[in-house]
Amino acid sequence: MGARTGDEFLKGLSTRQNDLWVGNEKVVDVTEHPALSGAAKQMAAVFDRQFDFADECLMPDEETGELINVSHMIPRSVADLKKRHIGLSRISEATMGLMGRTPDYMNVTYAGFAGDPAAWSGPDNVNAQGCENLIEFQKRLRRDDVSLTHTIVHPTIDRMHDKTFTDNRHVPLHKVGETAEGIVVRGARILATLAPFADEMAVYPGHPLPDGAGDEYAISFSIPMDTPGLVLLCRDSMTIVGVDPFDKPFSGGYDEQDAFVIFDDVVVPHDCVFIGGHVETYNTAMATNWWPNIMQQTTIRALTKMEFLYGLATRLAEAVNDMNEGTLDMLGELAGYVEVTRNAILCAEDHAYDNGNGVFYPEGRALHPMRALLATWFPRANEIIALIGSHNLLATPTRAMLDDDRLRPLLDRYLCGANGVSAEDRAAVYRLAWDFIGSGLGARNNLYERNYLGSAKTSRVGAHMRFMDRTRAYALVDDMLSRAQP
């Protein structure tokens, strides 16, 4: 089939009967529900965008020749990575990076898995069938242009014992049986961002299993969203229904949603199982190439968002001719975040490596620190928007006020900007900023970025313990120590 249009995406959503709940009710049709329809249309625009920029976003499938999204690419060179970069940038522009789990995230993830099959076959090829299932799934994912969500984190029940599986062994997702059709799984996971707008859901190793966890917890698979027994509980919607886009540019249709997922004795067909119960395979499948591969996508998405924030903050200052040194300092701070993020991506691509199978992955050293840095930079960027916008963020007339014959002359006089900025243009940029940082959606997004790929602390610890090559650092210390010896 190849790449889908937005209409084709929406048609698929409208016919799916998920056990999906939002607010006080079970959703019948995602495309018609007030809390979800706006974001469904925005997601459709993401699918349409690949045709709007077909030269940059589409490529032929390497086996069938049908056009597929470039995010499904298994890169074979630095040039391929740079081509994927351009396509991923175009996709992120559709939401200004606000939606962190558009389908390209999982597309890149599974292209990386399929490009490193040895990691999934397990020791002594013990998981050969699961590995083959994964490769075939990735082919279907790209050829059917599936919108895929995922859920990889165990729920928090008791922080003192969650990581040991001692007092809550029934909560983490696990295998409880097997039928002629497939394996039976039970338990819960959190979160499935994009769940209402996905065709299927993937489960794969988010973290290694703790010592003592049995093989029943070592499972990975993908299933359709309407699989019996799959229950999806969405958080409160941040969508504001029926709002004029001028008043709420983001809150009307950019809430990608997050769902708590319950697996109530779900049957996973055998050919959809990627790991069917093998701890060693589960704990090592993602230890090598997954991080640098997916970090290209996540950092490109972050770069688009950071560039948007820098432009937005600058426009706020320009609207009222704010040349205060403190304001310029904060704008320079944002500019620094933009360029460091950009440089990390370029460095990682230029220094990409062959994984031994002819597949190229970005160099991870430049990208791994970004996980921790971005988790602190985005909240700081929001703070800068608030500081530069100041009280002016709370003095923003609505579209209806601006269209009122009596009010408009007053607003043109008393709420215009500097240097010829009209009241309408000033209101537009300040409302855009407030919706981004001050709305319910803005608050959700702030929390989301703090934990996007783990908290800043978790990412810093991981960088030190897992990813840092300390050879040169140690050599420099040893050199200095040797000079101090008699």
Side-chain angles (χ1 to χ4, degrees), residues 230-357:
L230 186 63
V231 182
L232 306 161
L233 307 179
C234 294
R235 58 158 168 77
D236 290 351
S237 174
M238 303 303 174
T239 296
I240 300 177
V241 179
V243 67
D244 190 299
F246 180 89
D247 295 335
K248 296 290 183 181
F250 289 108
S251 295
Y254 287 79
D255 184 4
E256 60 187 340
Q257 260 296 344
D258 308 290
F260 183 76
V261 187
I262 298 172
F263 297 82
D264 186 19
D265 288 3
V266 171
V267 177
V268 180
H270 287 301
D271 61 0
C272 296
V273 177
F274 311 140
I275 302 175
H278 191 265
V279 170
E280 188 172 354
T281 303
Y282 186 97
N283 284 353
T284 59
M286 298 174 59
T288 54
N289 294 320
W290 181 76
W291 282 112
N293 178 58
I294 194 58
M295 282 298 296
Q296 186 197 28
Q297 187 275 343
T298 63
T299 315
I300 288 170
R301 193 273 309 179
L303 174 60
T304 296
K305 186 176 180 182
M306 194 63 75
E307 287 177 304
F308 170 77
L309 283 166
Y310 173 54
L312 182 58
T314 303
R315 284 289 187 87
L316 291 175
E318 290 175 348
V320 294
N321 196 26
D322 183 358
M323 298 295 289
N324 180 279
E325 185 176 359
T327 297
L328 298 178
D329 176 39
M330 289 187 287
L331 292 175
E333 183 180 344
L334 288 177
Y337 297 159
V338 167
E339 294 310 323
V340 171
T341 304
R342 189 193 323 279
N343 291 342
I345 299 168
L346 297 177
C347 180
E349 292 170 352
D350 286 340
H351 293 271
Y353 63 93
D354 185 332
N355 75 340
N357 296 317

Side-chain angles (χ1 to χ4, degrees), residues 162-481:
D162 283 347
K163 293 183 179 180
T164 62
F165 285 25
T166 53
D167 292 341
N168 65 335
R169 299 185 72 86
H170 64 287
V171 174
L173 180 62
H174 58 289
K175 176 181 172 181
V176 296
E178 193 162 344
T179 70
E181 291 76 28
I183 64 172
V184 182
V185 300
R186 183 186 302 162
R189 285 211 175 181
I190 189 172
L191 287 165
T193 300
L194 203 74
F197 316 110
D199 303 305
E200 298 194 24
M201 174 181 292
V203 169
Y204 57 85
H207 303 281
L209 292 169
D211 292 341
D215 283 340
E216 66 269 26
Y217 297 96
I219 51 177
S220 173
F221 55 84
S222 185
I223 52 175
M225 298 300 290
D226 55 2
T227 299
L230 186 63
V231 182
L232 306 161
L233 307 179
C234 294
R235 58 158 168 77
D236 290 351
S237 174
M238 303 303 174
T239 296
I240 300 177
V241 179
V243 67
D244 190 299
F246 180 89
D247 295 335
K248 296 290 183 181
F250 289 108
S251 295
Y254 287 79
D255 184 4
E256 60 187 340
Q257 260 296 344
D258 308 290
F260 183 76
V261 187
I262 298 172
F263 297 82
D264 186 19
D265 288 3
V266 171
V267 177
V268 180
H270 287 301
D271 61 0
C272 296
V273 177
F274 311 140
I275 302 175
H278 191 265
V279 170
E280 188 172 354
T281 303
Y282 186 97
N283 284 353
T284 59
M286 298 174 59
T288 54
N289 294 320
W290 181 76
W291 282 112
N293 178 58
I294 194 58
M295 282 298 296
Q296 186 197 28
Q297 187 275 343
T298 63
T299 315
I300 288 170
R301 193 273 309 179
L303 174 60
T304 296
K305 186 176 180 182
M306 194 63 75
E307 287 177 304
F308 170 77
L309 283 166
Y310 173 54
L312 182 58
T314 303
R315 284 289 187 87
L316 291 175
E318 290 175 348
V320 294
N321 196 26
D322 183 358
M323 298 295 289
N324 180 279
E325 185 176 359
T327 297
L328 298 178
D329 176 39
M330 289 187 287
L331 292 175
E333 183 180 344
L334 288 177
Y337 297 159
V338 167
E339 294 310 323
V340 171
T341 304
R342 189 193 323 279
N343 291 342
I345 299 168
L346 297 177
C347 180
E349 292 170 352
D350 286 340
H351 293 271
Y353 63 93
D354 185 332
N355 75 340
N357 296 317
V359 177
F360 272 68
Y361 291 95
E363 216 307 315
R365 288 182 299 169
L367 294 177
H368 290 310
M370 300 307 299
R371 293 175 57 201
L373 293 173
L374 289 165
T376 59
W377 287 354
F378 277 124
R380 172 58 179 159
N382 287 351
E383 181 184 34
I384 288 174
I385 293 288
L387 291 171
I388 292 177
S390 187
H391 61 277
N392 294 306
L393 291 167
L394 305 179
T396 52
T398 64
R399 176 77 273 164
M401 293 175 187
L402 287 162
D403 289 345
D404 185 88
D405 291 340
R406 175 178 165 284
L407 291 178
R408 184 57 183 262
L410 298 174
L411 295 174
D412 285 340
R413 176 180 298 177
Y414 297 117
L415 268 179
C416 63
N419 300 319
V421 174
S422 69
E424 183 164 335
D425 288 344
R426 170 178 166 156
V429 71
Y430 275 88
R431 294 196 73 91
L432 181 66
W434 180 249
D435 197 28
F436 197 89
I437 69 164
S439 65
L441 182 61
R444 175 267 176 189
N445 201 250
N446 190 57
L447 177 63
Y448 183 70
E449 294 292 4
R450 287 180 181 274
N451 297 280
Y452 183 73
L453 289 175
S455 67
K457 182 185 77 171
T458 299
S459 296
R460 286 192 293 265
V461 171
H464 172 68
M465 297 299 293
R466 296 175 59 193
F467 301 122
M468 283 301 297
D469 179 357
R470 293 188 282 274
T471 305
R472 174 169 165 77
Y474 283 161
L476 292 172
V477 174
D478 289 341
D479 182 21
M480 199 64 213
L481 288 173

